[in-house]
Amino acid sequence: EYQAISVPVTAKGHYSGCLVLFQDISKTLEGEKMQKRFIADASHELKTPIAVLKGMIEILNREDFHDEETQKEFLKQMEVEIERLDILVKDLLQLSRLSLSTLILEREKTDVKKLVEKAFSSLKKKAQDKNIVLTTDLKTDELLFCDPKKILQVLLNLLSNAIKYSDTGTITVRSYTEDAYYFIEVIDEGCGLKKEEIDKIFDRFYRVDDARSRKNGGSGLGLSIVKSIMDAHGGEISVESTYGKGSCFRLRFNN
Ligand code: ADP
């Protein structure tokens, strides 16, 4: 789509013609459309837990409501919904910060092994609860030139997904260098993805199995955040997955 801009041209104070510029605005329109869609999706995601909370408060407030058991159950459910809202708002804020074009990375030579250890220790409990073993296969001692806080976030998001979408099994973080690239892989033996799902999982709010993701407290934004951080690094993320067997999320950095 094009927008025409006409500029009168004057020479020595006399009108001598008109310059017409055609500007390709399809990208701008596309951007606006995506932003509108994003706001609509975000509002929908926020509205759902709010509606549940409202409904429950209404019932609890009824004068004829005295059932203590149900009251306790409702309070528990309300806590879950509040927690969901909390995660959602945090993820939304993070994503909007990441999409600012002014995003500045604080890059330094980083020991990936230390980052993996940090990520493992904060997810240890969640893994143990499902009898999941966390292991590493770090084949390079090279340091990675990256923003350590942001890459820790990437590892945390990928690892917590690997835990969420596995019933049990082993999760491995592998790193190696090849053709001047630095690779990090997060490999799980979880539920895996169907071919047609793989293209969509980086879309904001996309969830393969809504019920399972919701139960796991996912916002549907984790992988969008990962993708934004990788884009900012000039890197790439790719996925290989076998449905029912497991997935491998591969990060590629130009080191
Ligand atoms: P969520 O908060 O729902 O986990 P994400 O953006 O992190 O959102 O992931 C999007 C969807 O991709 C998830 O809902 C899930 O269906 C799928 N997914 C992500 N990681 C994995 C994985 N390791 N194994 C299988 N499916 C996954």
Side-chain angles (χ1 to χ4, degrees), residues 91 157-158 161-166 186 188 190-193 197 200-210 213-214 216-225 241 246-249:
D91 283 355
N157 287 12
L158 293 180
N161 276 348
I163 296 170
K164 266 194 265 178
Y165 302 108
S166 296
V186 176
D188 68 56
C191 64
L193 290 152
E197 293 163 353
K200 299 187 216 141
I201 55 171
F202 295 99
D203 293 350
R204 290 160 178 176
F205 302 116
Y206 179 79
R207 303 182 184 99
V208 173
D209 178 348
D210 213 38
S213 307
R214 282 186 162 275
N216 282 314
S219 68
L221 292 173
L223 287 176
S224 315
I225 291 172
S241 189
S247 312
C248 169
F249 285 78

Side-chain angles (χ1 to χ4, degrees), residues 79-92:
E79 215 177 347
V80 172
E81 296 298 332
I82 298 259
E83 176 68 16
R84 178 164 299 150
L85 275 173
D86 198 30
I87 291 174
L88 188 57
V89 170
K90 274 191 196 133
D91 283 355
L92 279 170

Side-chain angles (χ1 to χ4, degrees), residues 167-195:
D167 290 326
T168 184
T170 302
I171 295 169
T172 310
V173 179
R174 216 157 83 83
S175 77
Y176 54 95
T177 49
E178 205 178 277
D179 304 333
Y181 291 120
Y182 190 113
F183 290 93
I184 303 176
E185 293 177 350
V186 176
I187 306 158
D188 68 56
E189 301 172 343
C191 64
L193 290 152
K194 290 182 190 151
K195 266 208 180 72

Side-chain angles (χ1 to χ4, degrees), residues 62-124:
R62 273 193 207 150
E63 274 182 22
D64 58 353
F65 182 85
H66 303 295
D67 183 352
E68 240 178 70
E69 195 121 315
T70 313
Q71 188 181 354
K72 271 192 195 140
E73 227 163 78
F74 273 23
L75 284 173
K76 232 194 245 161
Q77 185 59 30
M78 287 165 82
E79 215 177 347
V80 172
E81 296 298 332
I82 298 259
E83 176 68 16
R84 178 164 299 150
L85 275 173
D86 198 30
I87 291 174
L88 188 57
V89 170
K90 274 191 196 133
D91 283 355
L92 279 170
L93 282 175
Q94 194 176 16
L95 201 56
S96 91
R97 258 186 258 124
L98 286 169
S99 62
L100 291 177
S101 49
T102 49
L103 173 75
I104 297 167
L105 292 178
E106 291 175 36
R107 293 205 209 203
E108 55 188 74
K109 295 209 158 166
T110 306
D111 184 353
V112 168
K113 193 169 171 228
K114 285 204 182 123
L115 285 188
V116 176
E117 274 164 14
K118 253 192 208 168
F120 276 9
S121 76
S122 64
L123 293 170
K124 206 165 61 188

